[in-house]
Amino acid sequence: MRIIDCFRRGRPVFSFEFFPPKSEEAVRELYRTIAELRELGPDYVSVTYGAGGSTRTLTVDLVTRIKREIGIEAMAHLTCVGHHRDEIAAILDQLAAAGIENVLPLRGDPPRGEAHFVRPEGGFGYASELVAFIREHWDFCLAGACYPEGHQECPDPETDLRNLKRKVDAGVDFLITQLFFEPHLYFDFVRRARAIGIDRPIVPGIWTITNVNQIERISAMCGASIPAALRERLEPVRDDPEAVLRVGVDWAVAQCQALLDGGAPGIHFYTLNRSLATREVF
């Protein structure tokens, strides 16, 4: 199934994102999570891709198993990092042969220990280039990432939107946002995107906070702001995991409700391979 077709059904599209586990116990935990979330009837799930292709085999194997054995539509992330275009072509051929129909092309973050992205020799430097390459040679449904508060490496929001328009024009079918915590950031971003001719579905990506130190670190890395009102609720309970979970769930529920009420075409949940918080919000 091509995910873009889900947006033509006239109802919100719900999806969950996982990352490839790094140990046997983590593998078992992930499949427990997928089994629990499967009961919620997601339209699809996506699987991330490690920096430098570090989870290449795991990503391909996981999306294939989720689709074939578990029966949920799956989308594979794919990055430019560390890959010659021939290597990327081989991965795409493998995905196509496995019956995977959906791919999320990304530039990707630099490998651990490196401060800046470096275009691989014979590879791609931008997600828009990867999208164009895929669109020329394969028939995948393609998603794209977008940033309501702007990509950290862009000098201003206008430049970021022009880059996004270039990626959409290269062949992206729908968009998923980076995490954010205030609905008005999403609606303002959609308004600005529509104003420059971006007409694809834009799905908000939602992160349910379960650990204060973790979300502070992640937000700093991706440029997402934590609202003062949310900080005020988290700070007194930051060392109480159950209380943090409750604050995170309550905030995410209100955020999702406002987004859906305002016309968002669905919700993409960043699960961290755990089901409890996501199930409660859903």
Side-chain angles (χ1 to χ4, degrees):
M1 179 189 73
R2 297 169 67 84
I3 292 169
I4 187 58
D5 294 334
C6 296
F7 294 98
R8 303 186 178 106
R9 297 175 180 172
R11 62 169 177 77
V13 174
F14 294 104
S15 52
F16 305 133
E17 182 171 300
F18 306 115
F19 60 84
K22 297 180 179 180
S23 69
E24 286 302 315
E25 175 54 35
V27 169
R28 290 190 290 271
E29 175 66 27
L30 175 57
Y31 280 106
R32 284 193 293 269
T33 295
I34 295 173
E36 291 166 348
L37 293 177
R38 183 181 187 277
E39 300 306 312
L40 303 181
D43 292 284
Y44 72 93
V45 302
S46 72
V47 181
T48 65
Y49 196 83
S54 58
T55 64
R56 165 183 169 175
T57 300
L58 284 172
T59 299
V60 174
D61 289 349
L62 190 53
V63 294
T64 301
R65 184 174 174 186
I66 289 172
K67 180 165 183 174
R68 288 181 176 177
E69 299 180 17
I70 301 177
I72 306 174
E73 191 59 51
M75 176 171 70
H77 295 214
L78 179 63
T79 74
C80 303
V81 182
H83 286 317
H84 187 280
R85 66 180 58 213
D86 291 344
E87 294 176 310
I88 288 177
I91 297 168
L92 291 162
D93 284 341
Q94 188 177 1
L95 289 168
I100 301 303
E101 299 177 78
N102 306 282
V103 175
L104 172 53
L106 303 156
R107 189 203 69 177
D109 298 322
R112 187 180 299 276
E114 297 184 20
H116 303 288
F117 176 87
V118 177
R119 178 191 290 269
E121 183 176 353
F124 304 104
Y126 299 99
S128 57
E129 296 174 345
L130 179 54
V131 169
F133 177 68
I134 297 173
R135 186 57 73 213
E136 181 180 0
H137 300 287
W138 292 268
D139 188 31
F140 292 104
C141 172
L142 299 181
C146 58
Y147 306 86
E149 298 181 76
H151 193 285
Q152 279 192 299
E153 296 179 24
C154 277
D156 54 69
E158 290 72 26
T159 301
D160 185 50
L161 269 180
R162 287 194 296 270
N163 290 341
L164 180 61
K165 181 64 161 59
R166 191 175 297 115
K167 182 162 59 177
V168 168
D169 290 345
V172 165
D173 294 297
F174 68 100
L175 297 164
I176 302 171
T177 77
Q178 179 60 276
L179 66 94
F180 62 96
F181 293 105
E182 294 189 282
H184 76 83
L185 294 171
Y186 169 82
F187 293 120
D188 179 65
F189 175 75
V190 171
R191 177 187 57 77
R192 292 186 291 111
R194 301 297 185 234
I196 67 166
I198 296 173
D199 61 357
R200 304 299 193 269
I202 300 176
V203 181
I206 298 300
W207 183 295
T208 303
I209 297 171
T210 58
N211 182 295
V212 179
N213 291 333
Q214 177 189 61
I215 195 56
E216 289 175 339
R217 183 175 66 255
I218 296 296
S219 295
M221 288 172 54
C222 71
S225 60
I226 301 177
L230 179 55
R231 286 187 179 276
E232 289 173 2
R233 294 182 61 184
L234 288 170
E235 190 57 39
V237 299
R238 66 182 301 139
D239 297 322
D240 182 341
E242 290 188 11
V244 170
L245 174 64
R246 180 49 50 201
V247 171
V249 167
D250 289 348
W251 189 277
V253 167
Q255 186 180 1
C256 290
Q257 191 65 64
L259 291 164
L260 294 171
D261 286 348
I267 301 290
H268 184 72
F269 291 98
Y270 297 109
T271 71
L272 297 183
N273 290 11
R274 298 288 187 269
S275 70
L276 176 59
T278 303
R279 282 189 287 115
E280 290 205 23
V281 174
F282 192 93

